[in-house]
Each structure stands twice: as C-alpha cells, then as structure tokens.
Amino acid sequence: MSIVNGKGIFDAARSGHYAVGAFNTNNLEWTRAILAAAQETNTPILIQTSMGAAKYMGGYELCLNLVQQTVKSMGITVPVIMHLDHGNYEAAKECIEVGYTSVMFDGHDLPFEENLEKTKEIVALAHAKNITVEAEVGSIGGEEDGIIGEGELADVEEAKKIAATGVDYLACGIGNIHGKYPANWKGLHFDRLKELAAEIATPLVLHGGSGIPKEQIQKAISLGVSKVNVNTECQLAFADATRKYIEAGKDLEGKGYDPRKLLAPGTQAITDIVKERIDWFGTPEVK
Ligand code: G3H
Ligand code: ZN
C-alpha cells in the first residue's frame, strides 16, 4: 500500500475511543522495525521524523523515499502515514513540497497570534495537497532534538482558536514531558484534558508517550487522545538490547560484528515495544 494521510484514521480513532501510535524513525533499522510491528499487528501506523533526525539521515526527501521504498520492499499492506514531527514553519513547508503525507507545525514557542497565523498558512498549503496537519498549543515539557518546552498546560481558549484553523490533530500540553519522566512527576492533568476534549472535536495528541504508566495513557485515550507519540522508549529498547549483545561478547563470536547481526537484537526490541504500545493504545486491526 502507498502511504496515506492521517485524516480518516485519526477521526475514526477519536470517535472510536482508541489511539494510533506515532513512532519516530532514526534510520533504516528503525524504519523496518516500526513497519514490521504495524504489519504483524495488522494496524495503521504513523512514522515520523523530527527535524534533527531528518538532518541526520540526509534530508526530508531521503526520509520520505526511505519510508516509501521500505513499505514497498517489505510488502507492507497496512496504512502508513509519513509525518514531520515538531516542524518549524520552514520545515513544514519543505515537507509539504517534498510530499510527506502529514506535517506538524509546532509554533508553541511563538507569540500565540503568530502561532495561530502560521498554523492557518500551513493548513492552507497542506490541505491544498491533501496533506494533514498537526499543531501545538501549550508546550510539552523536556527536550527533544533541541526543541525545549517548559511544559505549560494548554489554554482552552487558545486551543479552540487553533482547532478552528482546521488542523487535523492537535497537540496539547497536559503535563506531559519529552524523554524520561522525573521521579517527582505529578502525572497527566486529566482535568485540563477533559476541558479541552469537551470543547474540541479534533483528535488530540499526547506527546512524550514514553514512560507514562499504561493506566494514564489509556485514561487519556478514553478522554479524547487519538495519537500517542513515542520515541525515547524505542531508543532505550534499542540501546538495551545492543548493550546486552555486546556485553555477552556476541560481536566477537564468528562474524557477530557484521551490522546485520549486531543491530538485529536492537531492531527486534523496537518491533516488540511498538507492538506492545499498539496493544496498549487499543488500535484495531485493519479490516
Ligand atoms: O514528538 C515525539 C514525542 O513526543 C516522543 O516523546 O521521546 O518522550 O516518547 P518521547
Ligand atoms: Zn513530541
């Protein structure tokens, strides 16, 4: 199947009270691992590149080609959405040009009126090409690829204004944090999520999905979260499995140093964690 936009998939998730996972890719192994998890569970999936990861891999066009060609060569039949994660204005425009099927314009660090205006512009450009758009209100705490958020809760009136631009999904700060959660983290702000979901029909996005307890994720989904972003947990799973392989001395046995062998346990670990998260999110199988 060729890659698709996120429109029908996330609207169905919001009305069906489940979520579809959004997983960050960093290279070929990540891409294959995420796609394998989607295919094995027969569920739709969103694969995304941050600006930093795209730069690392060689640019947006290369990332798009990588995903498209991997979908083809692996014979993936489930819907795959190719998304820009936390893009600035220029990156969002570039990904629309290049042919991503979905983009996030993250204007949370701009004055609100500028975030609103630029979101409107990106929505107009993207929708003219049948590309879906995610925007952000309030900020996600922590740091991801140089994007630093203080973690303010989304303001309901501001969120309503951004939703009214016609964005297809909306990331809202509700106490969530990128990266590892500190021991003194107070948990998600469900009261704010309820207020947002009562006023906004747009599918809501939970960033910083790594390390949130399953019960909190599932409660957030029951209240209107339809897209859950996960990156750090895949990185930790990959690093942990690779460390075990090397600490067991397997790279020193035969041709265990061959990257096709050395990277295999980490790749499988990503597939395993993505499959587990798909189960947590309640993503239904494709009919
Ligand atoms: O945009 C991507 C994410 O929000 C992932 O956050 O690395 O904490 O899972 P995470
Ligand atoms: Zn994020």
Side-chain angles (χ1 to χ4, degrees), residues 166-194:
V167 291
D168 303 282
Y169 7 72
L170 184 60
C172 303
I174 52 166
N176 38 335
I177 294 172
H178 285 131
K180 291 182 181 178
Y181 281 78
N184 63 353
W185 180 56
K186 295 193 178 64
L188 295 175
H189 289 244
F190 291 111
D191 288 347
R192 179 57 53 93
L193 176 56
K194 278 183 202 158

Side-chain angles (χ1 to χ4, degrees), residues 93-112:
K93 288 212 314 195
E94 190 177 339
C95 289
I96 290 167
E97 276 306 305
V98 161
Y100 275 46
T101 54
S102 186
V103 295
M104 177 182 189
F105 167 59
D106 179 355
H108 84 263
D109 53 350
L110 302 172
F112 176 72

Side-chain angles (χ1 to χ4, degrees), residues 51-112:
M51 293 193 297
K55 188 174 173 195
Y56 166 78
M57 283 193 269
Y60 299 112
E61 195 169 1
L62 187 149
C63 293
L64 176 63
N65 287 337
L66 172 67
V67 172
Q68 280 173 327
Q69 293 303 319
T70 308
V71 163
K72 195 173 162 192
S73 77
M74 289 177 74
I76 301 296
T77 55
V78 295
V80 177
I81 301 152
M82 179 65 190
H83 183 73
L84 167 69
D85 186 31
H86 292 289
N88 63 21
Y89 182 71
E90 290 71 30
K93 288 212 314 195
E94 190 177 339
C95 289
I96 290 167
E97 276 306 305
V98 161
Y100 275 46
T101 54
S102 186
V103 295
M104 177 182 189
F105 167 59
D106 179 355
H108 84 263
D109 53 350
L110 302 172
F112 176 72

Side-chain angles (χ1 to χ4, degrees), residues 24 48 85-86 144 177-179 207-210 229-232:
N24 291 70
Q48 57 191 5
D85 186 31
H86 292 289
E144 186 179 36
I177 294 172
H178 285 131
H207 281 249
S210 298
N229 282 23
V230 177
N231 184 17
T232 301

